[in-house]
Amino acid sequence: MTTNTNTPLTPMLRQYQELKRQHPGTLLFFRLGDFYELFFDDAVTGARELEITLTARHKERGTPIPMCGVPHHAVANHVARLIRKGYRVAICEQTEDASKLKKLVRREVVRIITPGTAIDPNLIESREAIFLAAVCGAGDTFGAAFLDLSTGEFRATEVSGPDAWSRIRADIESYAPRELLYPSTLAPLVKDAYAGRGAHTAPLPLTNHPQDSGSPVAHITPADHVVSNGVGMALTPLDDWLWEPISCATLLLEQFGVRTLEGYGLERKTEAVSAAGSCLRYARESQRAAAAHVSDISFFETYDHLVLDAVTCRNLELTVTQGGGRGNSLFDVLDATVTGMGARLLRSWLLRPSVRRGEIEARHSAVQELSSSQLKRDRVRALLREVADLERLIGRINLGTANPRDLAALKRSLEQVPPILKALSDAESSLLQILRENTEELPEVRELISAAISDDPPINLTDGGAIRDGYDAELDELRALSRNAKQTIAALESRERTRTGISTLRVRFNNVFGYFIEVSKANASRVPADYERRQTLTNAERFSTGELKDLEQRVLGAEGRILEIEARIFSEVRANVAAETKRLQATARALSMLDALVSLAEVAIRRRYNRPVLHDGDEMEIIAGRHPVIEALGETPFVPNNIYLNNSTDRLLIITGPNMGGKSTILRQTALIALMAQMGSFVPAERARLPVLDRIWTRVGASDDLTRGRSTFMVEMTETAAILHNATPRSLVILDEIGRGTATFDGLSIAWAVAEYLHDSPERTAKTLFATHYHELTELADRLPGAQNYQIRVAEREGDIIFLYRIERGRASKSYGIEVARLAGLPPPVIERAREVLQKLERYELDVFADNPDDHVADIPQSGVEEMAGVDALERAASRAGRRALAAQVTLFDTANQSILDELRGIDVETVSSEEAHRILHDLKKRIM
């Protein structure tokens, strides 16, 4: 904090400094009247990031103190901007009534807002979960916990084994938390995995530190930020003592009111307990509340859902496009939910599809029943539109931040439950029946809110009118007194106008002077002698009288008491509602699942999706499959295609064909159809018979990672390595253009070896779609029993190509790259020249090697290749690639020196003299140097 230690500070600024010392690493929003102010370095940072005016206090003393501020009614928007940039904000409120004191008002930090603990509706997206995550561990065991403080959802996991860190990272990427907590000793591993840079963020201090003697004031900087699944993630280190297993377990036992964690699956899960305890402590400290709605925790294993790492989520564009945009993702196509909680559940199904066949088929049956009855579907959707986000509303009630309108919204939501249950009264699917049984009407909660809260209450209690007339006798009496007093004030104003003859006289009120009589300057000479001057303005004078003072005391006393009673009653009602948290949460979960199922049914009807058939075998058969996003957003009819895979005869499909022919589309749509089926959705296909997959892997496109010093090819190889180390026979692997980022021989050799490994390895024999421009790879189908060749069809007409977007058995002969370049707009001279060069390359290859097509290139590297099965086939493939490379060199040399070659061909070596030959050679040598 930048201050001049020789300058004495006012009591208020000393109070600010003390609170700042208690909360380092935050921007302190300090309540002063109707504004939140920031001072010193916080003001400099706040003014810069919020783009507001930076002013100064005590300018007259020669040592001005930087300050800036925002109105209290607009603070949420400003805090939201800071949170999105990775800052942590401490909200400091006045905890005493300034009007009753002559000393410094007591102030306290009432909550701390961080990227992972935001709960205010202005700070979070209604259709996205806001997870706070914690990770800890070392060696071969790591634990992680995920808490959505806005809803109370709390989950934990623990992973052991040599690949524990990579597996726990996959879980973190799946949940895409807004903030990741970790012990300081784990910082190098976390920073290497996520941040790729060395900046260290000042941690949020928590209470009960064994050496807590006051922390120094720290210069505030934003948290390290990375992007996971399109979501910004702040990295927050915490002191190692906060992860001590026994204290973390004790905290969880206290939170859940139990004696053992065995019922939650956490017995002997030390790292999971440490992660969960630290996560919960951080959340409670930030909110300054017990967070009673976090009433249980679920332990899960990695294999409990189909695993989709961040690379696959990005490549398949599940929630955001590869460019980071929104609106064109698979989630956007599937999301027809009408509540925020339904949208969040649908999103979680998409990012973590089920691997339990019974659970998946139960969702399919519910979707089928809802899709078969438009009347039922429309009725349920209409009722759900009137249901508020109950999950987050219950969270705000328990954290003490719910306002009167939240309770009114809860009442309206519960009023929709009886007609929803009636609409489901004839449900036949087991899942819809279960949802109906778990949805409670809670009439006592509805009746309490209806009796106590006004139909149209204000957002803020301080505005008055939140409590219904007739609920409290004392409140009704004070309101009557207040209303009568206001009528009395109006009558006093009328009498004073008559008595003074000043028709513009007004009786007014403000928070500083209370009630006063205001008279214009022009009429000041007509003011009676019994008027007592209070204030002089530029155009008016303000006065008071004995009668007005007595009236003011009665009115203000009644209004102050009214607000006190309303606050007490509202707090009591909110506490009574909070007591029903578990029943409310069960109803909220049931309604959110109903919304997600109805959404899938609605989309199935709109998009002509059909129910897939799941089985326990390994066959994947898709008839007339379509890409759900391209079909939904495209302007032309989508061309469907068939795909067949299994783990024996058709486990490796080598797909060749032209650029823009649709190879990548077919790869992606196959993965998306499998994923949609396992999340419980119908699929864009006429028929689909599918196995239950454990994981979908993708290696698509080209990108670098400059922050970590990784080239495009290095990223490609790293992603490929992850697949080869972790794929299983129950996995689906999508490979698009492996090996294109390096030299031809290197790339072809790697692509060949990768394909063989996925085909031959007993542990990694995944169903694989392999799209490539290396036509040499099609020879794999001749020697591998499980490999098949497929090509994307095109038609050629009068020198143009027509993309048919159909896949069929066979191998493509060329890639039509020059035609695609022409469509992309390359200048005609470039296109023509490229065609000439291509013709020369092809002619030279045919001319030179027509007599012996099996000749091998002498300089093919043999180390490593000989260890592979099928070395002859690889050599033949490499030979053709080598001939092309050699042809390229010779033919391009020939092209560059065409005139010289023409002259050489025209020389008659039998008649030329030695002197003339010497001269010709000398001349040609100069021309080619």
Side-chain angles (χ1 to χ4, degrees), residues 807-862:
I807 187 171
E808 62 181 30
R809 287 186 180 271
R811 62 187 80 188
S813 60
K814 53 185 177 179
S815 296
Y816 297 95
I818 294 177
E819 298 306 317
V820 174
R822 179 180 63 82
L823 295 175
L826 263 63
V830 175
I831 299 298
E832 291 304 317
R833 182 59 179 149
R835 285 175 175 155
E836 292 174 4
V837 173
L838 178 61
Q839 290 173 359
K840 291 179 180 294
L841 291 173
E842 291 175 340
R843 185 173 65 249
Y844 191 90
E845 179 180 2
L846 292 173
D847 290 345
V848 172
F849 297 99
D851 294 334
N852 191 1
D854 290 329
D855 283 347
H856 296 172
V857 175
D859 60 349
I860 294 178
Q862 295 299 312

Side-chain angles (χ1 to χ4, degrees), residues 452-470:
I453 306 299
S454 302
D455 290 332
D456 187 20
I459 295 180
N460 300 312
L461 271 174
T462 53
D463 294 335
I467 306 303
R468 188 185 297 276
D469 287 339

